[in-house]
Amino acid sequence: MMTTDIELLILMGGIVLILAIAHGISRGLRSKLNPTGHSTFYENLMARIYAWWAMIIVVGAALLLGKIGTVIIFAAISFQALREFLTITPTRGGDHRALCWSFFFILPAQYLALALELEVMSWIFIPVYAFMFIPIRAALAEDTTDFLGRAARTQWGLMLCVYFVSHGPALLLIEIPDYEGENMKLLLFMILIVQLSDVLQYVWGKSIGKTPISEKLSPNKTVEGLIGGIATTSLIGTLLWWATPFSPLAAGIISLVLCIMGFLGGLVMSAIKRDRGIKDFGTLIPGHGGVMDRIDSLCLAAPVFYRIVIFYYAA
Amino acid sequence: MEQALAEGASLIIFPEGTRSLSGEIGEFKSGIHHLASANKELPFVPIYLENLFRILPKGERFPLPLVAMLYFGEPIYLKEHETRDDFLERARNALANLSTNESKNA
């Protein structure tokens, strides 16, 4: 951080305070919810809280380290997400070289482009050049079995885990008049709204949820949870307008968009998991799934948020 | 090997004696049968290593950083009057069952 940003400190402090309260309440509820120690709801709740603490530590580290540190942290998240995605995605021997390039060249190059502030490169590198390179490399390996499917799966992995995730640190490069040096709050705002939306949909769903949205995809998600969660989160987003370059109304609308994209992103990831016949992407954090399970709602929300900020607020 | 076992150590054995070119489990070499004949009490624990074929196929230099999982099965013992081929077949099946369990979960 170049200067101490009071708004940023208030935002971060508020998040820590709220999570600490949530943690305390959940612990307090232990005797009521989980006298036998076998309540899956309670275990699930605590698992989520620990995952959020981990997320706060990661975001806090990013805030302290500034732009380059944030780029490195998101690169590490992408790397782990891509590992998890490709582990559950069938590929063949002929993909080996293309996958090596994905992990050890395309991913670092995408984040290097951000570190060097090569914005245009960061927009087109994966959707254009990696998109061409992956099938070329696989074709050179002369393995044509399921060729289109394999190329598509590899490209999807790069798009979801690397390209979309990299829109988080890319927010720091946008030049916004009267908001110079404050972009970190945009990143925090985006992560906060998407995560809050997840949480509040869960809380509303557990409290009054009855109608499942999709029995097939996510039996735990309900219409009541969705509406309640999105409405509450959008309201909170509106009230946080002061931390952003948005007007209160715009902050509310953008929060609404973030919530919807977060929900749809989660739905797409559920569909992928169902397709592969798994419940979670990984086992990095026991019982909590992997990194992919934690960032699923951010994947589609980040690029849309980024585009909105570029389109309406960039210099 | 027998000396190591006599000292109470555990051995890790790759009974195929090589890495598979196709990703399938290869034929087992007779080494584990020799060990089993020498010591009927010796338990053989099948361990299936998932994804290794994708992580570093034979002939490639760079490993992919995919997640590998180990699946442990129930120990098997050489039965009375069991032929070498039957024992090797049974051991191989024990491993193959772990791999199908894994693909059901994965």
Side-chain angles (χ1 to χ4, degrees), chain A residues 40 42-52 54 80 84 279-291 293-294, chain B residues 67 69:
Chain A
T40 47
Y42 179 78
E43 293 305 320
N44 191 309
L45 188 66
M46 288 315 287
R48 279 164 181 262
I49 286 175
Y50 289 128
W52 291 322
Q80 179 61 26
E84 292 171 2
K279 205 177 140 285
D280 288 322
F281 268 108
T283 48
L284 183 72
I285 326 157
H288 310 194
V291 162
D293 301 293
R294 298 266 72 96
Chain B
V67 182
M69 296 277 267

Side-chain angles (χ1 to χ4, degrees), chain A residues 75-148:
Chain A
I77 294 172
S78 277
F79 191 84
Q80 179 61 26
L82 191 62
R83 283 184 73 195
E84 292 171 2
F85 185 88
L86 288 174
T87 296
I88 59 118
T89 311
T91 57
R92 292 168 55 84
D95 297 313
H96 189 82
R97 293 294 173 87
L99 293 174
C100 277
W101 282 99
S102 303
F103 275 109
F104 300 118
F105 180 74
I106 297 172
L107 187 156
Q110 170 71 8
Y111 283 96
L112 188 65
L114 291 176
L116 299 175
E117 310 209 355
L118 304 170
E119 263 180 315
V120 175
M121 192 51 154
S122 80
W123 297 341
I124 61 170
F125 180 57
I126 289 176
V128 178
Y129 294 111
F131 186 83
M132 291 192 251
F133 174 79
I134 297 293
I136 289 173
R137 191 63 194 83
L140 288 175
E142 295 188 317
D143 182 356
T144 54
T145 309
D146 189 28
F147 183 82
L148 191 52

Side-chain angles (χ1 to χ4, degrees), chain A residues 135-197:
Chain A
I136 289 173
R137 191 63 194 83
L140 288 175
E142 295 188 317
D143 182 356
T144 54
T145 309
D146 189 28
F147 183 82
L148 191 52
R150 285 157 44 210
R153 285 191 287 267
T154 310
Q155 181 67 17
W156 261 69
L158 285 173
M159 289 297 286
L160 288 176
C161 308
V162 183
Y163 186 67
F164 287 165
V165 173
S166 76
H167 282 77
L171 285 170
L172 306 182
L173 305 189
I174 305 173
E175 278 177 37
I176 302 165
D178 300 322
Y179 200 69
E180 286 89 7
E182 301 183 46
N183 287 24
M184 201 59 97
K185 282 180 296 188
L186 271 182
L187 177 58
L188 192 53
F189 178 81
M190 175 183 80
I191 297 174
L192 178 66
I193 294 301
V194 173
Q195 289 297 325
L196 262 183
S197 169

Side-chain angles (χ1 to χ4, degrees), chain A:
Chain A
M1 273 186 297
M2 303 303 280
T3 51
T4 314
D5 187 334
I6 297 297
E7 288 170 358
L8 183 60
L9 288 178
I10 294 174
L11 205 54
M12 199 62 190
I15 295 169
V16 171
L17 188 69
I18 288 170
L19 187 55
I21 293 171
H23 196 156
I25 291 174
S26 310
R27 287 224 161 246
L29 285 175
R30 168 179 258 167
S31 51
K32 190 182 150 222
L33 285 172
N34 194 27
T36 52
H38 292 98
S39 156
T40 47
F41 173 69
Y42 179 78
E43 293 305 320
N44 191 309
L45 188 66
M46 288 315 287
R48 279 164 181 262
I49 286 175
Y50 289 128
W52 291 322
W53 279 122
M55 230 179 282
I56 284 184
I57 291 169
V58 170
V59 172
L63 298 186
L64 285 175
L65 294 169
K67 194 190 81 189
I68 299 293
T70 308
V71 168
I72 292 172
I73 287 173
F74 274 80
I77 294 172
S78 277
F79 191 84
Q80 179 61 26
L82 191 62
R83 283 184 73 195
E84 292 171 2
F85 185 88
L86 288 174
T87 296
I88 59 118
T89 311
T91 57
R92 292 168 55 84
D95 297 313
H96 189 82
R97 293 294 173 87
L99 293 174
C100 277
W101 282 99
S102 303
F103 275 109
F104 300 118
F105 180 74
I106 297 172
L107 187 156
Q110 170 71 8
Y111 283 96
L112 188 65
L114 291 176
L116 299 175
E117 310 209 355
L118 304 170
E119 263 180 315
V120 175
M121 192 51 154
S122 80
W123 297 341
I124 61 170
F125 180 57
I126 289 176
V128 178
Y129 294 111
F131 186 83
M132 291 192 251
F133 174 79
I134 297 293
I136 289 173
R137 191 63 194 83
L140 288 175
E142 295 188 317
D143 182 356
T144 54
T145 309
D146 189 28
F147 183 82
L148 191 52
R150 285 157 44 210
R153 285 191 287 267
T154 310
Q155 181 67 17
W156 261 69
L158 285 173
M159 289 297 286
L160 288 176
C161 308
V162 183
Y163 186 67
F164 287 165
V165 173
S166 76
H167 282 77
L171 285 170
L172 306 182
L173 305 189
I174 305 173
E175 278 177 37
I176 302 165
D178 300 322
Y179 200 69
E180 286 89 7
E182 301 183 46
N183 287 24
M184 201 59 97
K185 282 180 296 188
L186 271 182
L187 177 58
L188 192 53
F189 178 81
M190 175 183 80
I191 297 174
L192 178 66
I193 294 301
V194 173
Q195 289 297 325
L196 262 183
S197 169
D198 267 4
V199 180
L200 293 173
Q201 282 176 42
Y202 175 77
V203 171
W204 279 100
K206 281 283 170 196
S207 323
I208 57 161
K210 283 188 189 72
T211 329
I213 293 169
S214 165
E215 202 76 68
K216 220 171 158 187
L217 279 180
S218 315
N220 289 328
K221 287 187 175 146
T222 62
V223 177
E224 294 82 357
L226 180 68
I227 293 171
I230 288 183
T232 322
T233 311
S234 303
L235 182 67
I236 297 172
T238 312
L239 297 174
L240 290 174
W241 95 95
W242 47 268
T244 70
F246 319 137
S247 69
L249 176 66
I253 294 171
I254 290 171
S255 300
L256 180 67
V257 173
L258 278 175
C259 293
I260 292 171
M261 290 315 295
F263 168 73
L264 295 176
L267 217 55
V268 169
M269 297 300 178
S270 291
I272 293 174
K273 287 187 268 191
R274 293 281 152 157
D275 175 30
R276 299 302 316 134
I278 54 167
K279 205 177 140 285
D280 288 322
F281 268 108
T283 48
L284 183 72
I285 326 157
H288 310 194
V291 162
M292 254 328 244
D293 301 293
R294 298 266 72 96
I295 63 167
D296 57 358
S297 40
L298 212 56
C299 271
L300 300 197
V304 173
F305 183 69
Y306 178 83
R307 285 287 143 202
I308 291 174
V309 175
I310 287 263
F311 193 79
Y312 291 104
Y313 295 92

